C-alpha cells in the first residue's frame, strides 16, 4: 500500500502539531517533572539579558548529537558575552531536553513561547521533531532556527521558521555524484523514518540521472540491533559499493556487520562525522566517504580557523559538522540581533534583510537567506573521507 511520501508525512506531522497546540499548553505545569523545564545557563536579571532556547537531545537515542550541539552553543555564547553581549545585553541559553522526540517538542514549545525573554529558538536534531514545535513558535511570532533540519519542507510551517542547513536534495545530489564516480551498481539501505525515506527518494532520483544502478534496496528501523537479514542480500547483489542513508550509530552497525560478519571488502558510503562513529567502527571505517559541510583541517576561512582553535583549547578535541553548525546558529542569531535589535521582531527582520551572516561552513565567507524559502542557498556540501581514524576533506 502506498502511504505517502516523506514530505507528505512531515506535512501531516505539522498539521497534527498545530491542532495539538491547545492541548500542549495544558502540559506546561508538568514540564519540570518530565525533564523539560529548561536549564538556564546564567543568573542574569531579566533587564540585562536575552535568552535563546535550545531544544535538543541531551539524553536518549541521539544524546551524542546533543553533546556536540551544546559544546558549539556554549562556546558561541561565551564568546558573544565576552565581547559585550548583543547590543549590551548578556546572552543566556535555556536548554530543554526533548530527546529529539516530536511529542516532547510539541509539549515544551508553549512554555518556551510564553517566556518573553526568549528571542529565538534553536533545534531540534531531527526535522520531524522540530516540525512538531514550529507551529507553536510561529503562532507566538518567535523565530524557530532549525539549524540541523535538512528536510526541504521544514520551513513550510510559516514565515518565522528558518534554517541555514543544506537540504536533503542537495546533499543527495552530491552523494549520488560521488558514488557514481566510483561505482556502477550499488546496494542501498536507509533509515525507516521521514528523513530516511525522503533522502533515499532524492538519492534514487539522482542515481537514475547518472546511470547508477540500484541492485538492492531496503529500509531499517532506527532502533535496530541486528541488520544481518537485510545486509546478506545487499552483499549477495554483488554491488560495487554499499550506500547507507542514515545516522552515525546505525551506520556503524551496518559497516561492522558488512566487514566483520559478512566479509564485504568493497567501498562504503555512510555514517556521520562523529567520534562515536569512528570509535565504534575502528579500522573498518578506513576510506568511508560521507557528505558534510565542514572540515576542521581543510577550511581556509580565517574565522573558521579561529573557531577550530578556540574549540580545541576549550574541549581538547577537533570540532566537526555538528559542532560548527550549532556554534554558527548562535552566532547567526547574535549577528541578527546586532543588525536590528535583540528582540523577537528584530531577529525576524534581520533574517529577512541582512546579507552578511558569517559563514563557517564550506568555503566560509558570508551568506544571506532566500526570503522565499527561508533557507541559505549559498551553502554547499563537501566530501569527507576517513583516513586513519580521521575525517578529511577530499576534492572531486
Amino acid at each position: 500500500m502506498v502511504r505517502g511520501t516523506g514530505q507528505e508525512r512531515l506535512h501531516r506531522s505539522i498539521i497534527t502539531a498545530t491542532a495539538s497546540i491547545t492541548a500542549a499548553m495544558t502540559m506546561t505545569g508538568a514540564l519540570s517533572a518530565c525533564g523539560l523545564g529548561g536549564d538556564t545557563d546564567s543568573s542574569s536579571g531579566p533587564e540585562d539579558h536575552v535568552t535563546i532556547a535550545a531544544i535538543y537531545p541531551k539524553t536518549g537515542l541521539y544524546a551524542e548529537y546533543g553533546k556536540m550541539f551544546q559544546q558549539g552553543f556554549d562556546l558561541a555564547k561565551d564568546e558573544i558575552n565576552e565581547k559585550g553581549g548583543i547590543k549590551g545585553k548578556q546572552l543566556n541559553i535555556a536548554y530543554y531536553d526533548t530527546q529529539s522526540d516530536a511529542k516532547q517538542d510539541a509539549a515544551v514549545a508553549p512554555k518556551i513561547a510564553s517566556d518573553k525573554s526568549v528571542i529565538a529558538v534553536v533545534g531540534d536534531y531531527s526535522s520531524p521533531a522540530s516540525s512538531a514545535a514550529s507551529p507553536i513558535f510561529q503562532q507566538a511570532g518567535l523565530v524557530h532556527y532549525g539549524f540541523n533540519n535538512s528536510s526541504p519542507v521544514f520551513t513550510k510551517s510559516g514565515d518565522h521558521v528558518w534554517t541555514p542547513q543544506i537540504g536533503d536534495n542537495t546533499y543527495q545530489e552530491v552523494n549520488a555524484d560521488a558514488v557514481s564516480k566510483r561505482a556502477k551498481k550499488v546496494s542501498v539501505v536507509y533509515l525507516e523514518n521521514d528523513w530516511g525515506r525522503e533522502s533515499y527518494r532524492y538519492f534514487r532520483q539522482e542515481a537514475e540521472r547518472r546511470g547508477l544502478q540500484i541492485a538492492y534496496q531496503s529500509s531499517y528501523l532506527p532502533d535496530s540491533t541486528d541488520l544481518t537479514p537485510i545486509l546478506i542480500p545487499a552483499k549477495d547483489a554483488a554491488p560495487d559499493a554499499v550506500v547507507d542513508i542514515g545516522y552515525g550509530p546505525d551506520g556503524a552497525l551496518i559497516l561492522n556487520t558488512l566487514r566483520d560478519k559478512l566479509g564485504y571488502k568493497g567501498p562504503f558510503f555512510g555514517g556521520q562525522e562523529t567520534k562515536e562513529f569512528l570509535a565504534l567502527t575502528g579500522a573498518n571505517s578506513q576510506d568511508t566517504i560521507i557528505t558534510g559541510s565542514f572540515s576542521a583541517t581543510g577550511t581556509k576561512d580565517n574565522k573558521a580557523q579561529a573557531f577550530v582553535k578556540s574549540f580545541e583549547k576549550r574541549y581538547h578535541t577537533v570540532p566537526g559538522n555538528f559542532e560548527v553548525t550549532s556554534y554558527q546558529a548562535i552566532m547567526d542569531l547574535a549577528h541578527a540581533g546586532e543588525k536590528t535589535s535583540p528582540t523577537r521582531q528584530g531577529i525576524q527582520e534581520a533574517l529577512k534583510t541582512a546579507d552578511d551572516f558569517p559563514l563557517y561552513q564550506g568555503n566560509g565567507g558570508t551568506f544571506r537567506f532566500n526570503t522565499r524559502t527561508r533557507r541559505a542557498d549559498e551553502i554547499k556540501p563537501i566530501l569527507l573521507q576517513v583516513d586513519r581514524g580521521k575525517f578529511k576533506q577530499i576534492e572531486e
Side-chain angles (χ1 to χ4, degrees):
M1 176 184 295
V2 177
R3 302 186 64 180
T5 66
Q7 290 188 7
E8 290 168 345
R9 276 184 288 268
L10 187 50
H11 277 308
R12 287 199 294 270
S13 71
I14 292 170
I15 293 170
T16 300
T18 304
S20 65
I21 289 175
T22 302
M25 288 284 190
T26 65
M27 298 178 66
T28 57
L31 289 175
S32 295
C34 297
L36 295 174
D39 299 316
T40 305
D41 63 4
S42 172
S43 58
S44 301
E47 300 302 321
D48 60 7
H49 83 278
V50 291
T51 301
I52 292 175
I55 48 177
Y56 79 126
K58 182 178 182 179
T59 60
L61 184 62
Y62 304 122
E64 173 75 4
Y65 303 98
K67 178 182 178 181
M68 292 184 285
F69 288 165
Q70 187 162 354
Q71 287 179 330
F73 292 153
D74 286 344
L75 180 59
K77 181 263 299 180
D78 288 347
E79 290 182 357
I80 290 164
N81 286 337
E82 286 171 6
K83 295 179 180 179
I86 307 174
K87 288 203 168 178
K89 290 183 178 289
Q90 289 289 287
L91 173 63
N92 294 342
I93 299 179
Y95 288 98
Y96 295 84
D97 178 15
T98 63
Q99 299 188 340
S100 199
D101 175 78
K103 292 180 180 178
Q104 294 192 47
D105 278 64
V108 75
K111 179 180 177 67
I112 295 171
S114 66
D115 183 348
K116 298 305 181 183
S117 77
V118 175
I119 60 173
V121 182
V122 292
D124 206 320
Y125 169 67
S126 75
S127 295
S130 292
S131 293
S134 291
I136 300 170
F137 300 139
Q138 174 69 29
Q139 186 182 64
L142 178 61
V143 164
H144 186 188
Y145 205 67
F147 69 94
N148 195 60
N149 301 138
S150 57
S151 170
V153 300
F154 168 70
T155 59
K156 293 186 177 181
S157 296
D159 65 350
H160 280 65
V161 184
W162 302 77
T163 179
Q165 179 58 260
I166 300 168
D168 288 338
N169 51 341
T170 303
Y171 267 126
Q172 294 309 323
E173 180 180 356
V174 173
N175 191 23
D177 182 66
V179 174
S180 67
K181 291 177 178 177
R182 296 165 173 83
K184 299 296 182 184
K185 182 174 70 170
V186 295
S187 291
V188 183
V189 292
Y190 60 93
L191 201 57
E192 182 56 42
N193 64 10
D194 285 336
W195 173 84
R197 288 185 291 265
E198 184 178 74
S199 295
Y200 173 66
R201 180 169 63 84
Y202 287 125
F203 179 85
R204 186 181 67 238
Q205 291 173 352
E206 295 299 329
E208 291 174 355
R209 286 183 54 216
R210 289 165 171 76
L212 179 64
Q213 179 189 355
I214 298 178
Y216 171 83
Q217 62 84 22
S218 175
S219 64
Y220 58 89
L221 296 175
D223 57 352
S224 298
T225 57
D226 182 9
L227 294 175
T228 306
I230 69 168
L231 294 178
I232 289 175
K235 177 178 179 287
D236 289 347
D240 300 322
V242 173
V243 178
D244 170 44
I245 299 174
Y247 302 146
D250 37 86
L253 174 63
I254 290 163
L255 181 55
N256 288 338
T257 302
L258 286 169
R259 300 283 196 235
D260 298 336
K261 291 186 178 181
L262 303 181
Y264 172 75
K265 301 183 184 300
F268 180 77
F269 294 79
Q272 286 181 318
E273 193 208 13
T274 66
K275 297 174 184 64
E276 181 183 38
F277 175 76
L278 293 172
L280 289 172
T281 55
N284 284 340
S285 65
Q286 178 65 27
D287 296 327
T288 290
I289 295 176
I290 65 168
T291 54
S293 63
F294 178 74
S295 170
T297 57
T299 182
K300 302 296 191 297
D301 184 80
N302 290 335
K303 64 181 175 301
Q305 291 176 341
F307 156 72
V308 172
K309 290 180 181 178
S310 296
F311 192 95
E312 288 182 300
K313 181 179 180 180
R314 178 163 179 163
Y315 299 113
H316 310 293
T317 188
V318 176
N321 285 251
F322 296 102
E323 295 94 335
V324 74
T325 52
S326 56
Y327 174 88
Q328 181 172 306
I330 303 301
M331 287 298 190
D332 290 346
L333 294 172
H335 183 77
E338 286 287 347
K339 282 285 186 178
T340 51
S341 65
T343 63
R344 295 185 180 188
Q345 297 81 4
I347 298 298
Q348 174 71 359
E349 181 62 24
L351 291 173
K352 293 192 293 184
T353 58
D355 60 2
D356 60 347
F357 285 97
L359 178 59
Y360 296 82
Q361 303 173 71
N363 295 320
T366 61
F367 74 96
R368 68 180 303 165
F369 282 95
N370 179 326
T371 55
R372 181 180 60 83
T373 63
R374 294 176 301 286
R375 305 190 74 97
D377 298 337
E378 301 162 18
I379 305 176
K380 302 300 181 185
I382 61 175
L383 290 178
L384 299 169
Q385 186 170 33
V386 178
D387 181 22
R388 289 170 289 185
K390 295 181 179 180
F391 278 102
K392 297 182 178 180
Q393 185 174 355
I394 59 174
E395 304 292 341
E396 287 291 80

